[in-house]
Amino acid sequence: MEIIFDALIESFLETKVGMSEHFLPAAVTADLKANLLNLYTENKLRSAGTGNGAVAVQDKSMRGDLIFWLDRNNNNAAENEFFDILDRFINHLNSTCYTGITGYEFHYTLYEPGTFYKKHVDRFRNNPARQFSMIFYLNENWQQEDGGQLCIYHDEEVQQIFPENGKSVFFKSDQLEHEVCPAKKPRMSITGWLKRN
Ligand code: OGA
Ligand code: NI
């Protein structure tokens, strides 16, 4: 596992956007996707907001995704396994990179066809806790013509990442502007942030 962690961290250090195809075991990815589809069918997903605390707003012209927070208190085997892997990753990251991460938050995310998230950075203006953004994609057989790419705005280029099943993305929350383009199919992921308080 630590070898996989190192590969993600090394690609992050080289290009500012770490990527891995093997961070989560395939069975965990499949179980999390099944959870997300159940939550969607049971109408438990909620519109995501922008901003934080008292300034939180729901603005569909900015962001159209539906979310549900993962939580150890949900007593779900796949979520707990996900958090176990995350705990190991954070221990490894903190001991090799002195990042001082003290917590995290992750939600299931579903973009219905045509919805999007306009260009933004992930760190709130009124709360600097978010250090790293991590996204785990849950979409089998995703084709480029399905759209839904994550566009990351670097100084000299725009990087396009398609939300393919099993792919993980890792970048600093305060630096890189990015956006989620509309897709032709439901676009599913686990999205979250490593925090330092
Ligand atoms: C976000 C975000 C990117 C993605 O939720 O803040 O930028 O690819 N997500 O889902
Ligand atoms: Ni974002």
Side-chain angles (χ1 to χ4, degrees):
M1 193 119 255
E2 275 62 22
I3 292 171
I4 295 171
F5 296 161
D6 279 333
L8 186 72
I9 294 166
E10 266 162 40
S11 64
F12 160 75
L13 292 172
E14 267 168 39
T15 67
K16 297 191 176 168
V17 179
M19 274 200 265
S20 169
E21 310 286 337
H22 312 286
F23 191 93
L24 295 181
V28 174
T29 298
D31 290 348
L32 291 171
K33 180 191 173 154
N35 287 348
L36 175 49
L37 286 173
N38 281 335
L39 290 163
Y40 185 58
T41 317
E42 293 167 6
N43 219 5
K44 290 189 174 145
L45 302 178
R46 294 290 168 260
S47 291
T50 51
N52 190 27
V55 298
V57 287
Q58 282 181 9
D59 178 359
K60 290 236 163 44
S61 68
M62 179 69 197
R63 165 170 199 191
D65 51 331
L66 303 170
I67 67 167
F68 186 93
W69 292 96
L70 281 75
D71 195 317
R72 285 210 187 257
N73 292 327
N74 293 344
N75 291 320
N76 177 272
E79 284 180 36
N80 288 341
E81 199 169 337
F82 174 82
F83 285 134
D84 290 345
I85 295 167
L86 251 282
D87 288 340
R88 277 178 70 172
F89 177 63
I90 287 166
N91 279 337
H92 189 71
L93 186 69
N94 282 343
S95 63
T96 56
C97 300
Y98 309 104
T99 35
I101 299 302
T102 54
Y104 49 67
E105 54 191 359
F106 281 89
H107 58 61
Y108 295 95
T109 315
L110 189 144
Y111 288 84
E112 289 177 321
T115 63
F116 51 81
Y117 194 160
K118 289 258 172 76
K119 199 168 170 183
H120 65 280
V121 289
D122 284 350
R123 181 182 285 184
F124 298 123
R125 250 167 272 172
N126 61 349
N127 183 344
R130 288 179 171 182
Q131 302 298 316
F132 295 97
S133 305
M134 289 189 92
I135 308 149
F136 304 89
Y137 296 114
L138 309 175
N139 309 289
E140 278 152 296
N141 304 315
W142 196 270
Q143 309 293 319
Q144 298 211 350
E145 71 216 34
D146 296 326
Q149 63 271 47
L150 167 65
C151 289
I152 301 184
Y153 292 83
H154 297 271
D155 289 340
E156 305 283 323
E157 51 138 18
V158 182
Q159 180 181 10
Q160 302 206 46
I161 299 170
F162 286 88
E164 290 147 358
N165 198 51
K167 190 189 278 179
S168 313
V169 177
F170 175 70
F171 58 90
K172 288 264 330 193
S173 299
D174 62 334
Q175 290 175 357
L176 291 174
E177 284 192 301
H178 55 280
E179 79 176 289
V180 178
C181 293
K184 293 186 182 157
K185 302 197 294 198
R187 178 193 192 273
M188 291 172 276
S189 60
I190 307 288
T191 312
W193 298 275
L194 309 187
K195 306 206 289 186
R196 188 168 66 212
N197 289 319

